[in-house]
Amino acid sequence: MQSKVKQRVPESVLRPSLGDQVRAWLAHNNIIVYVAFIAVFILFSILLGSNFTSVNNVLNIARQTAMISIMAVAMTFVIGSGQIDLSIGSIAALSSLVAALILRDTGNILLALACALVLGAGIGLVNGLLNTKAGIPSFLTTLGMMGVIRGFAMWITNTAAVPIQNSTFNTIFGIGNVGGLPVLLLWTVVFAVVGYLLLNRMRFGRHTLAVGGNESAARFSGINTQSIKIRVMMMSGLFAAIAGVMYAARMQSGRWTFGEGDELSVIAAVILGGTSMAGGNGTIIGAVVGSMLMGMINNGLVLGGLSVAQQTIIRGAIIILATAIANRSNAKRQAS
Amino acid sequence: MSHGKTPASAEPTAGGQGTTDLLVMRDICKSFSGVPVLKDVNFTLRRGEVHALVGGNGAGKSTLMKIFTGVYTKDSGTVCVDGQEVHFKSYDDASQAGVRMIFQELSLVPTLTIYENIFLNNESLKGLALDRKEMRQMAGELLKSLGLDISPRELVSSLPVGYQQMVEIAKALSMNAKILVLDEPTASLTDAEVGMLFATMERLKAKGVSMVYISHRMSEILQVTDTVSVLRNGQVVLTAPTDQLDIPAIVHAMLGGSAEKSFEWVPRIHPPSDQLMLNVQNLQLNSIVKDVTFQVRKGEILGIAGLMGSGRTEILKALFGMEKVKSGQISLDGQPVNFRNVQQAVRAGMALVPEDRRREGLVLGHTVKANTIVTVLDQLLGGWMISEKKSNQLVNDKVAELNVKTDGINKTISLLSGGNQQKVVIAKWLAANPKVLLLDEPTAGIDIEAKGEITAIIRDFADRGNSVVLVSSELVELMAVCDRVIVLHDGVVTQNLDRHNIESEEVLQNAIQG
Ligand SMILES: Nc1ncnc2c1ncn2[C@@H]1O[C@H](COP(=O)(O)OP(=O)(O)OP(=O)(O)O)[C@@H](O)[C@H]1O
Ligand SMILES: [Mg+2]
């Protein structure tokens, strides 16, 4: 019976040709962000010349975008699971202060790190529990949490900045270089690779996307949907805390102002990268490239000598434009 | 409402028979991303007839009708209504011209109420404001005429799939149509509702409405249609008056040969053992399932029959840890169990193929592959990560075993035909290698050949000492597959029939009606 049944399936179904594979890849990956990245890079290179293309400037962009990129990795899981996290910027600020305070009082790097990260994951846990157990949508829980945590960050030092004199800490997490490359770039790569493998090659990632794609079907498939959603929020809090540690090390201080508005940049980077706002899909590489694209635009506008007002307007317009193009190509993919 | 601009008395067409041929589709071609689905299809619907469109899963039935109703655009060919060529750009266009369709994949918005869905885009107005009262009343009457006793104010998301299907039917009927396309309207309906639908079709026919009827249930085709057209490999291979055909002739045309596996009961190779696999005692769940007791032996296939809303689905969900058990005991393989969630049930070896593939069975935006492996990711690990090789192997095996028609395992599953999607729902749970397989309308929308194949797979599964509980609205299916059938009525088991003692479908039918 087996062989007979198998006969009727054309060979092409069993072994997709290279062309099919490429087409399938294109169908499942939004390439617009990569095209935009290259186009903007070329445009700025022409307009700004070596100011923009110098190795120094390019590495500077990498430094400036590292925190956004790392938070975008986790945000891909959050949005992919059908949730949202607005509290990440505040978590980064609080974690920078906690790390700075512990370093000041004990000088123990591991302790500072551990406390900051546990705090971030813990806030994520609370976000997740409020969402799954109390049934408050993640948009609202994290919107509230954004204020609460930012408030705490202002409160613990009475809005004073806390300087960090520990140069080992600052070097490892912020200002150091390895083989000519900034550590922040290396950390970005590390977290992007971890995120990529987790999302695409491990159970947790597949379950996350199943929950975001159809929560009811995920439950019927034996997935503990609540646990997945909580773990995703914990991951987001954890990654935000890591970003906070990096802000602290890079600026050699903890400050309550760190990460303000980052949640929106991060969400924009993820969506630009090709992750759907509706949940169910996600691309880590797209998110990282999306965040670099935005970092590059910021950098180019500053170098171009535009006023802050002009920068803000252009940045907003570019996000709208890019998303519009991405949406169109999305709709086209679905129609064909 | 309005029948649009199409003149009722069209001038005679080239053939000179403009009055009998209402819809003529000529040389219709359609490909999806280079894969041809329809190749020069010709299809003619005559005035006042009920025309069956049959064919295997993925033959292109839904595609052909969606081209007619403006949902898809054709690559080439012409569509004429009343002798005039039409170019429907959207379903709304078609609707305005008096063409309505009951969609296989349902066109309901889950977050709206029943009446809001029925009158979506066709709302009654009082000045500028919505006339909710009138819509509710008209919806209530429509539902009643279909024998449905539910409030039009209920949310569609709270309805079981059978009721959703009835609402979809009511929605199509809410506007007067001259052509009605019914794409597998009965896939999740029991005989009672099917009867009401047929009575409604009878009334419409008397009013002169012409209908295209798509179904995989052969007995229905013979019962309600006047003409049969068979679609195979993207072409119409047979059009003939129904009364000149019988089931084998239709199946022969559909498959281009006879069915490999006939859909009839044959004695089991390995009869069920005497050991109990599942023992359900005095199960009470809610006001619908009051006191249900039954046993399933190892190697046995048990069927559950009952009316729509008789609690069949709830019982399966309770066995799968999704429904709270108020009182009663369940034991599995001699051990008392009380699953509080699906994870526990799955770990104990249970699997459930749910009744609603779109809502509960599949992540529609994901690929065939992602949908198939989601239940078995643990088995596919190579070290820390999911092995691509093992995944592809498994999915390819399942696609072949169940003969899923898809152009590759990375195709988004929402683009597969309905029946082929359903096969993937079955595949994903077969892959999990359970001890007990709970099947809730597993063959909804599946063609007759695949039904035979799935029957063989289920039997083979039971032959290995596993147990199966099957809920099906289709009595033929219960008769073909089960060793024993219990009948639910008013929340209790009223009959426990060995397969040998069920002489005919009528016996079962009468038992269900109580
Ligand atoms: N939008 C689409 N994109 C790509 N392929 C499609 C699309 N719609 C349908 N197909 C393909 O066209 C073929 C015919 O599909 P169709 O839904 O018409 O089949 P069907 O005869 O209605 O089958 P069933 O009995 O299972 O409902 C299938 O192989 C399906 O995968
Ligand atoms: Mg179909």
Side-chain angles (χ1 to χ4, degrees):
Chain A
M1 163 208 160
Q2 280 295 31
S3 62
K4 213 168 180 186
V5 169
K6 275 202 170 125
Q7 253 172 22
R8 277 185 284 117
V9 179
E11 191 62 18
S12 64
V13 169
L14 298 177
R15 207 169 294 112
S17 72
L18 189 66
D20 281 348
Q21 284 178 341
V22 171
R23 224 171 296 136
W25 187 86
L26 285 178
H28 289 281
N29 291 276
N30 204 331
I31 59 164
I32 190 71
V33 69
Y34 309 107
V35 176
F37 184 84
I38 294 168
V40 172
F41 186 84
I42 293 173
L43 183 74
F44 281 164
S45 307
I46 295 169
L47 292 178
L48 303 169
S50 60
N51 270 348
F52 179 75
T53 51
S54 73
V55 175
N56 227 336
N57 188 51
V58 170
L59 293 183
N60 208 18
I61 295 177
R63 273 188 212 103
Q64 282 162 353
T65 52
M67 294 74 168
I68 299 291
S69 299
I70 288 169
M71 288 191 277
V73 169
M75 188 63 83
T76 306
F77 285 78
V78 174
I79 296 179
S81 71
Q83 308 182 87
I84 197 82
D85 189 351
L86 299 174
S87 62
I88 50 174
S90 303
I91 294 176
L94 187 58
S95 109
S96 80
L97 279 162
V98 166
L101 286 172
I102 291 175
L103 282 173
R104 188 187 68 191
D105 294 346
T106 70
N108 187 332
I109 296 181
L110 280 181
L111 185 67
L113 206 57
C115 286
L117 301 196
V118 168
L119 179 79
I123 297 170
L125 176 66
V126 175
N127 280 336
L129 288 174
L130 283 173
N131 178 5
T132 54
K133 306 294 178 196
I136 310 168
S138 59
F139 183 88
L140 290 176
T141 53
T142 60
L143 182 68
M145 196 59 86
M146 172 168 102
V148 171
I149 301 300
R150 183 75 63 188
F152 266 112
M154 294 160 85
W155 190 32
I156 50 171
T157 63
N158 228 335
T159 71
V162 182
I164 300 176
Q165 259 110 32
N166 189 322
S167 64
T168 318
F169 177 85
N170 291 340
T171 309
I172 297 178
F173 297 109
I175 54 180
N177 287 293
V178 177
L181 295 175
V183 282
L184 283 176
L185 177 61
L186 300 180
W187 282 121
T188 307
V189 172
V190 168
F191 285 107
V193 169
V194 169
Y196 178 86
L197 293 177
L198 202 54
L199 187 67
N200 297 297
R201 303 296 300 277
M202 296 194 194
R203 222 169 71 120
F204 174 62
R206 304 328 293 169
H207 283 183
T208 299
L209 296 184
V211 169
N214 183 347
E215 188 168 347
S216 163
R219 204 154 42 86
F220 272 86
S221 303
I223 296 172
N224 189 338
T225 55
Q226 298 208 337
S227 148
I228 292 286
K229 288 171 111 177
I230 293 172
R231 278 148 69 194
V232 164
M233 293 311 276
M234 287 178 70
M235 176 180 174
S236 179
L238 178 71
F239 275 50
I242 292 170
V245 166
M246 292 174 169
Y247 273 125
R250 179 154 188 258
M251 303 303 189
Q252 304 174 30
S253 62
R255 277 173 214 271
W256 71 267
T257 51
F258 286 160
E260 260 192 317
D262 276 8
E263 53 282 336
L264 296 183
S265 308
V266 168
I267 292 168
V270 171
I271 304 299
L272 267 179
T275 295
S276 140
M277 203 72 204
N281 76 357
T283 147
I284 297 289
I285 301 177
V288 172
V289 174
S291 109
M292 293 198 172
L293 173 62
M294 300 217 309
M296 195 162 73
I297 292 170
N298 282 340
N299 175 274
L301 296 179
V302 174
L303 287 185
L306 274 69
S307 73
V308 177
Q310 290 166 324
Q311 286 177 34
T312 313
I313 293 171
I314 293 181
R315 215 181 301 135
I318 289 181
I319 291 177
I320 294 174
L321 190 72
T323 331
I325 299 172
N327 273 346
R328 273 191 57 158
S329 68
N330 249 337
K332 232 176 158 173
R333 271 189 300 150
Q334 261 146 34
S336 71
Chain B
M1 313 263 129
S2 97
H3 279 195
K5 299 143 254 155
T6 326
S9 59
E11 58 265 59
T13 53
Q17 38 175 273
T19 46
T20 61
D21 292 350
L22 181 57
L23 161 69
V24 181
M25 301 181 78
R26 208 174 289 288
D27 299 326
I28 303 290
C29 292
K30 177 74 184 172
S31 311
F32 290 107
S33 29
V35 182
V37 172
L38 301 176
K39 306 170 210 160
D40 294 318
V41 171
N42 291 301
F43 177 81
T44 302
L45 174 68
R46 277 176 308 167
R47 199 177 297 282
E49 74 170 350
V50 179
H51 196 137
L53 186 58
V54 298
N57 291 131
K61 306 178 294 293
S62 300
T63 304
L64 182 67
M65 285 302 118
K66 282 182 183 166
I67 286 175
F68 166 45
T69 57
V71 178
Y72 287 163
T73 46
K74 55 189 184 293
D75 296 341
S76 64
T78 55
V79 181
C80 295
V81 175
D82 263 330
Q84 291 226 329
E85 189 166 354
V86 292
H87 301 275
F88 298 139
K89 297 231 162 24
S90 66
Y91 177 57
D92 192 38
D93 268 8
S95 234
Q96 294 305 322
V99 176
R100 296 291 278 178
M101 179 158 174
I102 294 167
F103 290 96
Q104 182 181 13
E105 61 271 36
L106 307 186
S107 61
L108 306 176
V109 182
T111 48
L112 298 182
T113 62
I114 294 178
Y115 80 89
E116 285 166 331
N117 265 291
I118 290 179
F119 291 102
L120 194 62
N121 201 23
N122 180 26
E123 293 84 356
S124 317
L125 296 178
K126 211 194 240 162
L128 281 177
L130 288 178
D131 191 348
R132 290 178 183 275
K133 207 169 139 216
E134 172 170 305
M135 286 194 282
R136 272 199 295 270
Q137 196 198 334
M138 290 190 338
E141 278 162 20
L142 254 173
L143 294 174
K144 213 173 288 152
S145 77
L146 288 166
L148 216 57
D149 187 23
I150 42 174
S151 156
R153 293 177 191 235
E154 274 198 56
L155 280 181
V156 161
S157 60
S158 69
L159 298 178
V161 64
Y163 286 94
Q164 289 185 26
Q165 201 152 36
M166 292 303 279
V167 174
E168 174 79 17
I169 293 171
K171 181 179 169 187
L173 299 178
S174 69
M175 253 165 119
N176 288 326
K178 60 179 174 182
I179 303 179
L180 180 63
V181 179
L182 305 96
D183 194 355
E184 299 195 34
T186 58
S188 315
L189 301 186
T190 67
D191 279 10
E193 293 81 37
V194 174
M196 295 305 288
L197 173 66
F198 287 178
T200 308
M201 288 171 66
E202 205 57 52
R203 277 203 307 276
L204 292 173
K205 196 174 164 182
K207 280 202 261 169
V209 178
S210 315
M211 286 170 265
V212 179
Y213 189 82
I214 301 176
S215 177
H216 290 295
R217 296 186 178 179
M218 291 300 149
S219 53
E220 295 179 356
I221 302 282
L222 295 187
Q223 198 183 335
V224 290
T225 67
D226 306 304
T227 314
V228 176
S229 284
V230 179
L231 207 53
R232 168 157 50 93
N233 290 338
Q235 291 187 306
V236 173
V237 291
L238 171 80
T239 298
T242 308
D243 50 22
Q244 290 176 15
L245 295 168
D246 56 7
I247 295 180
I250 299 175
V251 173
H252 189 271
M254 270 171 64
L255 307 179
S258 58
E260 279 179 42
K261 310 262 172 340
S262 74
F263 194 47
E264 259 162 33
W265 199 71
V266 286
R268 296 277 303 279
I269 310 170
H270 303 282
S273 83
D274 293 331
Q275 287 168 305
L276 283 188
M277 177 68 95
L278 203 56
N279 189 353
V280 177
Q281 294 287 337
N282 307 104
L283 184 70
Q284 190 198 1
L285 302 176
N286 45 34
S287 58
I288 300 168
V289 178
K290 293 174 199 152
D291 183 4
V292 169
T293 298
F294 64 89
Q295 286 81 32
V296 192
R297 289 171 292 161
K298 289 187 179 168
E300 189 178 33
I301 305 173
L302 175 79
I304 304 184
L307 296 169
M308 198 154 98
S310 61
R312 299 166 303 172
T313 295
E314 282 88 344
I315 292 174
L316 294 195
K317 281 189 179 168
L319 294 175
F320 199 50
M322 302 196 86
E323 194 91 14
K324 221 175 145 111
V325 175
K326 247 196 195 152
S327 68
Q329 290 89 43
I330 303 171
S331 42
L332 174 67
D333 217 350
Q335 300 288 322
V337 291
N338 180 15
F339 303 130
R340 266 166 300 131
N341 54 45
V342 180
Q343 293 81 51
Q344 291 177 355
V346 170
R347 237 171 281 134
M350 310 289 290
L352 169 68
V353 172
E355 62 172 342
D356 187 344
R357 65 171 165 266
R358 284 167 293 266
R359 202 165 43 172
E360 303 161 341
L362 299 170
V363 182
L364 287 172
H366 286 186
T367 60
V368 171
K369 179 170 148 186
N371 272 291
T372 312
I373 63 175
V374 69
T375 47
V376 290
L377 293 175
D378 283 338
Q379 297 166 29
L380 299 172
L381 296 180
W384 280 68
M385 286 183 234
I386 300 163
S387 153
E388 285 296 303
K389 205 171 137 211
K390 282 189 200 167
S391 312
N392 291 343
Q393 177 98 44
L394 174 95
V395 179
N396 281 324
D397 281 354
K398 289 293 160 200
V399 163
E401 185 182 347
L402 289 159
N403 197 18
V404 180
K405 192 175 168 197
T406 169
D407 16 286
I409 59 175
N410 289 318
K411 184 162 177 163
T412 305
I413 202 153
S414 60
L415 303 181
L416 262 57
S417 80
N420 285 303
Q421 290 178 15
Q422 183 65 26
K423 290 180 191 173
V424 176
V425 186
I426 298 177
K428 83 180 215 191
W429 280 114
L430 278 177
N433 268 326
K435 281 200 287 201
V436 178
L437 187 57
L438 309 168
L439 300 165
D440 200 351
E441 306 285 357
T443 61
I446 283 186
D447 71 34
I448 189 158
E449 185 189 27
K451 266 183 199 165
E453 287 170 359
I454 287 169
T455 305
I457 290 168
I458 293 174
R459 281 166 170 274
D460 185 52
F461 174 80
D463 281 343
R464 281 178 270 135
N466 304 306
S467 306
V468 178
V469 182
L470 170 70
V471 166
S472 176
S473 300
E474 211 180 355
L475 301 185
V476 198
E477 176 169 51
L478 288 174
M479 308 255 302
V481 183
C482 299
D483 302 312
R484 201 153 52 83
V485 176
I486 58 171
V487 178
L488 278 186
H489 204 276
D490 277 340
V492 297
V493 175
T494 53
Q495 301 253 10
N496 186 343
L497 304 163
D498 256 333
R499 178 61 184 83
H500 319 284
N501 301 332
I502 309 176
E503 259 137 44
S504 68
E505 234 177 284
E506 281 72 52
V507 176
L508 206 49
Q509 184 60 46
N510 292 336
I512 291 173
Q513 300 294 350

